[in-house]
Amino acid sequence: MQTRETEHRASGLKWLPWILLAVIGVLYLLSMDRWLSQQNLPALAQINGWDWKPLAERPVHFLLTYPIRFLPLSVQPVLLSGLTFLAAMASLAMLIRTVLILPQERTRLQRQRVLDNRGILPASIGWLPASLALLVCALQLTFWQNATSFSNEMLDLVLFAYVVRAVAEFRIDGKDGWLHKAALAYGFGIANSFSMIAYLPLFLLTVAWVKGRPFFAFQFLMKFALLGSVGLLAYLIVPLAHIGSDASWLSFWEALRTYLGTQKSAIFSYGRVYALFLGSVSLLPLLGFAFRWGESGGDISGASHQVTAWLMHIIHGLFLVLGCLVAFEYQMTGVGSTEVSVRQLAASAGTPVVLTVYYLSAISLGYYAGYFYLVFGTPSIHKWGRPSAFGKVVNQILVGVLILTLIAVPGLLVYRNLGGMFSSYSGHLSTYSKRLVERIPDGSITISDTPLWFYLSQAGASYQGRQSKLTHVDSGGLMLGAYHKAMQKKLPARWGALSRDFGSRTLLDRSTVLRFLSDLSRSNLVYYTEPSFGFFFEGNYLEPAGMVYRLLPLPANRIEAPPLAREKIAAEDAFWRGMETSDFPSVIASIPKKASTSKDRFPKDTGAQILRTGYSRSLNWLGAKLFTEGQPDLADSYFEKALKLNPDNASAMINRAYLAHSRTNAQSQLAPSPEVLEKLKIYGGLQMLLRAAGPVIETGNMLLLARAFAEGQNLIQSAQLLQTVAKRSQDPMEYEVAIAKLLVEARRPEMALRIISNVREKAAGKYLTNVTNLMELVEIEAKSADRTDDLPRAEKLLKDTIASYPMEDMPFSTLVGIYIQRAAFEHRRGSTNRSREFLAAARQTLERQIQTQPSNVNAWVNYGAAFMRIDQYSEAVPALTKALEMDKDNRPALLNRAICYLKMNDLTRSQQDYERVRLLSPDVPYQVLYGLGEVAFRAKRNKDAIEFYEQYLKKAPSSAEAEEIRNRLRQLK
């Protein structure tokens, strides 16, 4: 009678989980991302065809979102967020249903309570665990974030949730249809996400467990496998997309293998320790209700029963507390460690897939809450199992704690997360995208370095209805033969031809791309959407045009960009003054009141961040340009504006401080202040600072950047920086000589000769009497003469220097270098005899140097290299060995000898030399990685070969051997 009354009183609460689900839905809708954002921009790019690369992953998502492309861009972000919202609501609805039908007859105490005839909680108490699981999962910060802005992971979760629900439903009614539908859903899930592959053994084991022996029946297995295979057909969408793309360089089967390899890599590269931790908070608690725990096994001792019962209570209670802690992403801090949470650990492990962890944890939380409510909140069906008066008080306290948990835990989650979620999204990015393209004329070509700006420029054009009037180019694609073929098909009249025909799989060399880009900027209006640097600007320069930059070819007779015309400066100043009135107030208002930290929990308004960063970088770039052109006062106003918009812009901070410093001392460098040093930690390097915040004008930083550019073979840009530094120096001769060296290597010998001529005219006698200085000038003059096709002059100059300074290394090595380069050029032309003549001249010069300088290590290394040029590797080894006898750690000698041994198929000695170079090199050269990979491949050590080849491709992705290595890797894998 008491049980019926309890059920009657509580029956009205059975709808509470569904009412709470509706409330959650309203909360999600109110905090939903409705605008263009960094979260949905990649999906919008794929939907609208902005991304030129063929589909590479998540084919099911591609099908789901495909119809959105037929709608205006203004509504697409809302629809994407709406799709994620529906997936979240469906997942939460299935969570409620799953918790309601979880088995609750696992322990003896549970079986002594009134249960549904299917072994589940009666409706009178099922509402509490279902409500708790729902609220804790739905209000968890990561889940909330993924539910209110477009999330691929949330779309994956709905398939996972359906599979879990289907298995639970089968346990209730035993209908095979649930397992068949689960197999179909799981097949689609595997094709879409590597995480479903990781869960596959658990899925199959669970199905076999709940199905029992009939699982192995032929008819059931065949239908189960067939339906799973139907879902796996979604894999074929990826290679079909490659077949239909003009920009693809992969065949059907290559594209399929590449996608499968990507999933395999994601699984096997996932940190095992992290995976173990994530499994302990999601999978381990499931064991509590996976088994039906037996009776006492013949022990009739009351004390034993009590001890066993309380031990079960403690274990269940610990799992209940664990579920709550997981939901809060409890931040633990150790000595010298960063914060630890489920989300952070998943990100450290690899691809941060965590929604399934939270979902399984919520299911477990629901079960354990149901356990306590059932055991302590309902009477036993046996009179002898009724509690004492004291026991009743304890039961009431525990039920009260459980109900308090239902209120307190979700309440605390709302308190922690609500405010941050409602301030996370805005329409700033839509505004910025429109501004980005508004001053670009129709018919222009835009180039972007980063995917973000590449997508933003296309979004802005779409918003303005100009998508067909602008051509958007990904700068990375310019290195690929397939990309050029696709663009030539798209723009047959405007996209110029390359210097020769390149295959779709070919990675183009720098000189080819640079010539193409210069020709393109001469025949078209070409704009860069962001200030940039790199080898594209070895023959081009940028001219500001509002928020974008006109790309123009650099004049052949100068290295610096032409100065801005007075009218151009006035036009740019008018533009930014207008922006200061119209846009800047709202941008400044979006600056957070407190600085961001690594422990911030809430999603940032990335649209506002990008807006501030983009405006600030552009202002700093223009300020730096004006400063170098002699307008410090106007430049200072731009640095000031840049810092107002982005107080973290370290470049603008450095520039403003240096500008003030230069008014009294233009020659000296300026040490960074503690505030600047703190800001620089955000960027992680000078080149990253340049890319994210804009250029610096401080002398010391310019010298550091000049060195970095020279090491990266961006020689003209290095010379540009040194030229600016030279103008500030009271003794610029050292910088002028360095500029001349760079110009020789950059194939601008006439300019180098003019500089050296000026140096000789201005140089004091003391400078020219210094042998080191004299050798530098002779080297530059000789190389310049050679590159102006005046070989006799170069030979005479170097031979005269050898006669005057026979113990100097430079004239010998420079002359040898000239001969070898000439030999290689003649060989490429097919003039074999002429090539041999130059190689013979190089050998004669080296033999003379060795006779004159027998202890010169470089001479012996060069002598060995000369034999390598004509493939006489056995002759090269003695010379290289002689060099190593004098300098056992000489890396060029070791590397060359390793190559010789490899060519001679002496794998043991080759590996020893490669390993020695590897040990001596702080940054291992890619040639060493290639050689070690070749040694391992020939020795049939495939695992080592794969490892070295992959490291090689990371260091030299566009080398001559890169495509061959990629093909070999595909074979090895």
Side-chain angles (χ1 to χ4, degrees):
M1 186 69 179
Q2 185 179 359
T3 302
R4 292 196 188 96
E5 289 174 356
T6 303
E7 185 173 349
H8 176 73
R9 289 198 305 271
S11 61
L13 291 173
K14 69 179 181 180
W15 300 109
L16 182 61
W18 306 103
I19 295 171
L20 291 175
L21 180 61
V23 174
I24 292 293
V26 173
L27 195 61
Y28 282 175
L29 288 172
L30 292 175
S31 58
M32 183 181 290
D33 180 12
R34 300 173 177 82
W35 299 276
L36 192 70
S37 67
Q38 199 167 13
Q39 288 81 4
N40 60 40
L41 196 55
L44 290 170
Q46 186 182 82
I47 290 168
N48 293 285
W50 300 342
D51 193 346
W52 62 272
K53 302 183 190 72
L55 181 69
E57 60 181 0
R58 301 188 184 277
V60 177
H61 295 180
F62 173 77
L63 290 179
L64 285 173
T65 58
Y66 188 87
I68 296 177
R69 69 179 57 207
F70 301 108
L71 299 171
L73 179 61
S74 57
V75 301
Q76 288 181 4
V78 179
L79 293 174
L80 284 177
S81 295
L83 184 62
T84 302
F85 165 77
L86 292 175
M89 296 301 291
S91 299
L92 292 173
M94 287 185 281
L95 173 63
I96 294 173
R97 175 61 181 168
T98 302
V99 171
L100 288 174
I101 61 176
L102 286 177
Q104 285 286 353
E105 30 51 290
R106 306 283 91 176
T107 67
R108 182 175 60 86
L109 288 176
Q110 287 172 298
R111 293 190 288 272
Q112 291 176 3
R113 268 59 181 176
V114 174
L115 291 170
D116 185 283
N117 57 9
R118 297 167 294 180
I120 64 176
L121 291 176
S124 59
I125 59 175
W127 60 270
L128 187 144
S131 298
L132 181 61
L134 165 71
L135 292 173
V136 169
C137 183
L139 298 175
Q140 199 278 332
L141 180 61
T142 303
F143 196 96
W144 194 341
Q145 292 169 1
N146 281 270
T148 54
S149 185
F150 180 74
S151 166
N152 285 311
E153 194 179 348
M154 186 60 76
L155 297 180
D156 292 336
L157 180 66
V158 74
L159 289 171
F160 182 85
Y162 182 81
V163 170
V164 173
R165 181 255 176 128
V167 173
E169 294 282 6
F170 172 80
R171 198 198 69 84
I172 296 298
D173 61 19
K175 295 180 180 178
D176 287 348
W178 286 112
L179 298 183
H180 293 149
K181 288 183 283 189
L184 179 63
Y186 212 97
F188 281 113
I190 286 176
N192 210 57
S193 173
F194 80 93
S195 63
M196 296 292 274
I197 302 176
Y199 283 116
L200 181 59
L202 180 64
F203 169 65
L204 295 176
L205 182 62
T206 302
V207 172
W209 183 265
V210 299
K211 178 69 175 172
R213 187 171 296 176
F215 173 79
F216 300 98
F218 178 79
Q219 186 176 0
F220 172 81
L221 273 180
M222 285 300 295
K223 190 171 183 179
F224 184 81
L226 180 62
L227 287 169
S229 301
V230 169
L232 292 176
L233 290 176
Y235 267 121
L236 301 180
I237 297 172
V238 172
L240 287 173
H242 277 262
I243 294 298
S245 172
D246 294 325
S248 176
W249 57 93
L250 298 177
S251 68
F252 180 93
W253 295 112
E254 286 174 332
L256 182 58
R257 284 198 302 269
T258 299
Y259 181 35
L260 292 172
T262 301
Q263 288 190 314
K264 175 185 173 183
S265 177
I267 294 172
F268 285 99
S269 63
Y270 209 89
R272 296 180 182 179
V273 174
Y274 299 113
L276 182 63
F277 173 82
L278 296 176
S280 69
V281 300
S282 59
L283 299 177
L284 182 61
L286 299 179
L287 296 178
F289 57 90
F291 302 96
R292 181 182 170 93
W293 302 99
E295 300 294 341
S296 59
D299 188 354
I300 59 174
S301 167
S304 177
H305 278 311
Q306 288 295 322
V307 170
T308 303
W310 280 104
L311 183 61
M312 293 298 292
H313 297 335
I314 292 171
I315 293 173
H316 283 61
L318 290 175
F319 280 137
L320 181 67
V321 172
L322 178 64
C324 293
L325 293 180
V326 167
F328 281 97
E329 293 187 325
Y330 194 74
Q331 297 175 355
M332 297 174 288
T333 306
V335 178
S337 66
T338 58
E339 69 169 277
V340 177
S341 68
V342 169
R343 177 167 57 177
Q344 189 269 337
L345 286 174
S348 300
T351 306
V353 178
V354 291
L355 292 190
T356 54
V357 175
Y358 295 129
Y359 195 82
L360 291 175
S361 178
I363 290 174
S364 299
L365 180 63
Y367 168 77
Y368 293 111
Y371 169 87
F372 279 103
Y373 200 9
L374 177 67
V375 172
F376 294 100
T378 63
S380 172
I381 59 175
H382 305 295
K383 290 183 179 181
W384 49 264
R386 304 289 170 86
S388 63
F390 176 75
K392 288 182 180 179
V393 173
V394 173
N395 289 355
Q396 290 173 357
I397 291 173
L398 289 175
V399 171
V401 170
L402 193 60
I403 294 175
L404 182 62
T405 301
L406 174 63
I407 299 171
V409 173
L412 189 54
L413 284 170
V414 170
Y415 172 77
R416 286 163 58 89
N417 301 337
L418 186 65
M421 286 304 305
F422 273 86
S423 61
S424 301
Y425 308 114
S426 71
H428 282 109
L429 209 56
S430 301
T431 302
Y432 187 81
S433 69
K434 296 170 189 174
R435 286 290 194 193
L436 191 62
V437 298
E438 66 181 3
R439 291 187 64 183
I440 301 178
D442 290 346
S444 299
I445 295 173
T446 70
I447 301 178
S448 303
D449 283 341
T450 58
L452 178 60
W453 262 260
F454 182 53
Y455 300 154
L456 282 175
S457 62
Q458 296 185 78
S462 294
Y463 276 127
Q464 296 177 357
R466 302 172 59 207
Q467 182 67 1
S468 62
K469 298 177 181 178
L470 298 177
T471 301
H472 306 273
V473 173
D474 175 9
S475 64
L478 293 173
M479 304 297 297
L480 302 172
Y483 187 75
H484 282 273
K485 289 183 181 298
M487 293 303 293
Q488 285 166 353
K489 185 175 180 179
K490 183 178 179 180
L491 300 172
R494 297 170 55 202
W495 195 264
L498 297 173
S499 57
R500 60 186 177 86
D501 186 33
F502 289 88
S504 296
R505 299 171 182 266
T506 306
L507 285 171
L508 279 60
D509 59 89
R510 286 170 50 125
S511 59
T512 298
V513 175
L514 186 56
R515 282 195 301 271
F516 168 82
L517 194 58
S518 297
D519 292 341
L520 189 70
S521 63
R522 290 187 184 96
S523 58
N524 293 272
L525 289 173
V526 181
Y527 289 85
Y528 239 89
T529 58
E530 50 199 302
S532 186
F533 59 92
F535 80 88
F536 285 5
F537 301 94
E538 289 295 281
N540 302 282
Y541 70 95
L542 295 176
E543 182 181 87
M547 290 175 56
V548 294
Y549 306 85
R550 175 83 186 276
L551 185 72
L552 294 165
L554 194 65
N557 60 346
R558 61 187 300 165
I559 60 173
E560 76 278 9
L564 296 176
R566 183 177 301 176
E567 297 79 9
K568 181 64 177 173
I569 294 175
E572 293 304 304
D573 195 47
F575 169 80
W576 286 110
R577 287 183 184 278
M579 293 289 290
E580 194 170 9
T581 303
S582 61
D583 287 30
F584 289 2
S586 63
V587 177
I588 294 172
S590 72
I591 298 175
K593 297 297 184 289
K594 65 175 184 177
S596 301
T597 69
S598 61
K599 294 187 179 181
D600 285 339
R601 299 170 55 251
F602 299 114
K604 298 303 175 186
D605 183 355
T606 53
Q609 285 183 320
I610 293 166
L611 195 71
R612 293 192 298 270
T613 301
Y615 284 155
S616 179
R617 181 176 62 178
S618 296
L619 288 163
N620 179 68
W621 189 95
L622 185 55
K625 177 73 172 173
L626 292 169
F627 179 82
T628 57
E629 294 187 6
Q631 299 199 45
D633 293 335
L634 187 56
D636 189 46
S637 69
Y638 280 96
F639 296 146
E640 182 182 9
K641 293 184 183 76
L643 285 171
K644 283 183 179 179
L645 294 171
N646 180 16
D648 290 332
N649 189 323
S651 291
M653 192 177 293
I654 293 170
N655 292 344
R656 196 157 195 231
Y658 178 75
L659 190 150
H661 172 77
S662 68
R663 296 184 191 276
T664 56
N665 191 345
Q667 285 78 37
S668 68
Q669 301 178 18
L670 177 65
S673 67
E675 185 181 9
V676 169
L677 290 174
E678 190 64 28
K679 296 293 184 186
L680 287 172
K681 293 178 183 178
I682 301 172
Y683 298 94
L686 188 57
Q687 294 199 45
M688 284 301 299
L689 174 71
L690 185 65
R691 187 172 298 281
V696 290
I697 59 173
E698 192 275 324
T699 304
N701 282 291
M702 294 182 78
L703 289 172
L704 288 173
L705 192 57
R707 176 181 296 177
F709 277 155
E711 290 173 353
Q713 294 301 303
N714 296 319
L715 306 174
I716 296 296
Q717 289 159 96
S718 179
Q720 290 170 347
L721 292 170
L722 291 179
Q723 190 172 61
T724 301
V725 173
K727 291 176 181 178
R728 301 174 185 173
S729 175
Q730 292 180 339
D731 185 15
M733 199 167 301
E734 177 185 354
Y735 298 116
E736 291 175 354
V737 173
I739 291 168
K741 281 185 177 181
L742 292 168
L743 291 174
V744 172
E745 297 304 319
R747 304 289 174 176
R748 300 205 176 184
E750 296 86 355
M751 296 176 64
L753 286 172
R754 286 201 301 269
I755 292 174
I756 294 304
S757 177
N758 291 334
V759 168
R760 285 187 179 276
E761 289 178 7
K762 294 187 297 183
K766 185 178 179 181
Y767 181 87
L768 291 176
T769 55
N770 183 289
V771 175
T772 301
N773 296 340
L774 184 61
M775 291 299 112
E776 280 188 325
L777 298 183
V778 170
E779 180 183 13
I780 294 169
E781 288 174 319
K783 288 183 176 180
S784 298
D786 174 56
R787 287 173 184 175
T788 54
D789 211 24
D790 192 351
L791 178 60
R793 179 186 172 188
E795 286 181 308
K796 183 179 185 307
L797 185 60
L798 290 169
K799 288 178 178 179
D800 290 347
T801 306
I802 288 171
S804 302
Y805 301 92
M807 300 308 294
E808 290 294 324
D809 179 67
M810 185 281 300
F812 285 106
S813 59
T814 302
L815 186 57
V816 169
I818 288 173
Y819 285 144
I820 287 177
Q821 286 179 354
R822 291 265 176 173
F825 174 72
E826 296 294 344
H827 179 74
R828 288 193 298 270
R829 290 176 55 190
S831 180
T832 305
N833 291 335
R834 189 73 173 143
S835 176
R836 287 174 179 170
E837 290 175 9
F838 282 119
L839 285 174
R843 284 184 58 189
Q844 290 171 4
T845 305
L846 283 168
E847 288 170 354
R848 180 181 174 185
Q849 183 180 13
I850 289 171
Q851 291 172 357
T852 308
Q853 305 170 8
S855 60
N856 188 319
V857 175
N858 289 336
W860 286 103
V861 174
N862 292 335
Y863 190 51
F867 283 105
M868 293 174 67
R869 288 277 181 178
I870 54 176
D871 299 333
Q872 294 183 7
Y873 301 105
S874 59
E875 297 293 329
V877 168
L880 296 170
T881 302
K882 180 71 174 178
L884 289 169
E885 289 173 357
M886 291 182 280
D887 180 7
K888 65 184 179 64
D889 291 336
N890 188 284
R891 281 182 281 179
L894 283 166
L895 182 58
N896 283 346
R897 194 172 70 172
I899 295 171
C900 290
Y901 283 139
L902 182 62
K903 294 290 186 180
M904 296 160 62
N905 211 35
D906 189 341
L907 301 184
T908 301
R909 291 182 179 179
S910 178
Q911 182 172 350
Q912 289 173 351
D913 282 349
Y914 277 128
E915 291 288 0
R916 182 64 181 163
V917 179
R918 186 185 182 191
L919 183 65
L920 293 170
S921 305
D923 184 22
V924 183
Y926 67 86
Q927 296 92 337
V928 173
L929 297 171
Y930 174 81
L932 288 171
E934 283 292 296
V935 170
F937 177 74
R938 295 186 190 182
K940 301 188 184 306
R941 291 185 282 110
N942 292 348
K943 184 178 179 181
D944 291 340
I946 290 171
E947 179 183 349
F948 287 125
Y949 283 152
E950 287 179 340
Q951 293 180 32
Y952 166 78
L953 289 175
K954 288 180 182 177
K955 288 221 170 205
S958 57
S959 65
E961 300 88 359
E963 190 58 36
E964 177 189 350
I965 295 304
R966 289 188 183 91
N967 292 332
R968 187 172 291 174
L969 273 174
R970 283 192 282 269
Q971 295 171 3
L972 290 172
K973 291 181 178 181

